[in-house]
């Protein structure tokens, strides 16, 4: 049995170390993607200290800058749960 630690919702600290450890996730289908999904995907890069999900975007706060950089490199241009687009003839 694994123990899931709840991360903070705080990702907006203004200290320089914190800013450099934050990752922005844009164009996010938040109708489908939940905070727990974002945490699961991004936790493989390091200790997630905080996660905030808003309509269409999210922020992940890491414990250090190295983990944030790894997440950016690993997830850049990845599409998470794309919105289905219908085409009519």
């Amino acid at each position: 049995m694994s123990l899931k630690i709840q991360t903070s919702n705080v990702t907006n600290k203004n200290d320089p170390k914190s800013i450099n450890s934050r990752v922005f996730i844009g164009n996010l289908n938040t109708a489908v993607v939940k905070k727990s999904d974002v945490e699961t995907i991004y936790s493989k890069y390091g200790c997630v200290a905080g996660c905030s999900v808003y309509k269409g975007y999210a922020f992940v706060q890491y414990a250090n800058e190295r983990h944030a950089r790894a997440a950016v490199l690993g997830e850049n241009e990845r599409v998470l749960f794309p919105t289905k687009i219908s085409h009519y003839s």
Side-chain angles (χ1 to χ4, degrees):
M1 183 164 95
S2 66
L3 179 63
K4 175 83 171 137
I5 298 172
Q6 185 67 27
T7 60
S8 170
N9 288 326
V10 178
T11 57
N12 63 350
K13 293 180 182 176
N14 290 322
D15 71 88
K17 288 176 96 176
S18 182
I19 290 170
N20 292 333
S21 301
R22 188 174 310 132
V23 176
F24 171 77
I25 304 148
N27 203 22
L28 191 62
N29 183 355
T30 50
V32 177
V33 179
K34 304 297 176 222
K35 179 181 175 186
S36 60
D37 299 323
V38 174
E39 290 172 353
T40 299
I41 292 165
Y42 284 85
S43 66
K44 68 183 174 188
Y45 298 102
C47 179
V48 174
C51 181
S52 301
V53 178
Y54 304 95
K55 186 175 183 180
Y57 66 98
F59 287 98
V60 173
Q61 181 71 53
Y62 283 96
N64 66 54
E65 186 177 346
R66 183 173 46 92
H67 295 156
R69 288 181 187 266
V72 170
L73 288 173
E75 298 297 323
N76 192 31
E77 296 188 26
R78 178 179 175 192
V79 177
L80 301 176
F81 303 100
T83 304
K84 184 177 181 182
I85 300 173
S86 299
H87 295 281
Y88 298 98
S89 342

